[in-house]
Amino acid sequence: MDEELGEVLFSAEQIAARIRELGETISRDYAGRDLVLAGVLRGAAFFLVDLARALTIPAAIDFIAISSYGPSSKASGVVRIVKDLEEEIAGRDLLVVEDIVDTGLTLGYLLRILRARGPASLKVCTLLDRAVRRIVDHPIAYRGFEVPDKFVVGYGLDYQQRYRNLPFIAALKTPA
Ligand code: 5GP
């Protein structure tokens, strides 16, 4: 394996098992509703696709891509939409699917603009939650795993565009 990679935090099997559980819960909660899954590119792409396959109810699939302003890769909460949703979400049940919620700044921005479009409901499902770093709090309806304060890669999460395709989630040895 790559020497930049540290310990494996969640194996492919652990991720798959947790997504099955999330899929069951979400299918129960949204039965009879008009569910739209909105994955935040690029990190949440893998998670959204696997989560969608774990659902036993109909759901529309869509993606939104945002990018941070400024030279730094550090979250500032000042982001712009580089690819918008294609679905009309007014009056529908929107579930935002994130890879990781860290400070919560990015999510805060996203929720503000999506709420303004008048969805019937707006909730968040994140694969990873690093609550210790939270600056802006948001209710998280569904979470896969809590993660410690270590930069993680794999299963959609990158370091300089690498490692997204790892089937597991690992800590990065090199401080990001
Ligand atoms: P927040 O605005 O909550 O601080 O940051 C959320 C975004 O920062 C995530 O969607 C993700 O793109 C990035 N991010 C935060 N922590 C990590 C991490 O440990 N690894 C990777 N690869 N990206 C992270």
Side-chain angles (χ1 to χ4, degrees):
M1 234 330 128
D2 198 301
E3 61 196 26
E4 280 185 333
L5 287 184
E7 60 174 315
V8 173
L9 299 176
F10 306 106
S11 68
E13 292 73 24
Q14 283 174 302
I15 296 169
R18 188 69 188 111
I19 291 176
R20 271 197 299 278
E21 291 174 352
L22 290 173
E24 281 171 23
T25 309
I26 292 168
S27 298
R28 221 179 304 124
D29 292 354
Y30 285 88
R33 309 289 293 272
D34 185 9
L35 176 61
V36 181
L37 298 178
V40 184
L41 293 173
R42 286 170 250 181
F46 294 65
F47 178 41
L48 181 137
V49 166
D50 284 345
L51 182 67
R53 283 185 291 205
L55 296 179
T56 55
I57 56 166
I61 306 299
D62 206 346
F63 290 96
I64 188 165
I66 53 178
S67 89
S68 301
Y69 277 117
S72 154
S73 62
K74 292 273 174 281
S76 63
V78 185
V79 294
R80 73 193 159 91
I81 295 178
V82 294
K83 183 225 170 287
D84 205 342
L85 295 176
E86 287 169 40
E87 293 292 313
E88 174 63 54
I89 58 169
R92 305 176 75 186
D93 296 290
L94 188 65
L95 184 59
V96 173
V97 180
E98 264 284 19
D99 50 358
I100 182 165
V101 181
D102 190 43
T103 63
L105 290 166
T106 310
L107 189 58
Y109 171 82
L110 258 181
L111 292 178
R112 240 183 349 264
I113 57 160
L114 294 174
R115 193 172 292 120
R117 299 180 187 179
S121 68
L122 177 56
K123 288 189 177 178
V124 176
C125 175
T126 186
L127 178 63
L128 304 178
D129 184 7
R130 191 183 290 116
V132 294
R133 296 224 332 141
R134 197 75 88 250
I135 294 171
V136 189
D137 213 15
H138 310 281
I140 306 241
Y142 310 98
R143 75 164 53 68
F145 305 101
E146 275 282 345
V147 279
D149 198 1
K150 289 178 182 167
F151 193 84
V152 296
V153 295
Y155 196 72
L157 290 143
D158 77 308
Y159 174 58
Q160 298 179 344
Q161 297 306 325
R162 293 171 60 206
Y163 304 118
R164 289 194 199 275
N165 56 324
L166 292 178
F168 53 84
I169 293 169
L172 199 71
K173 271 193 211 151
T174 318

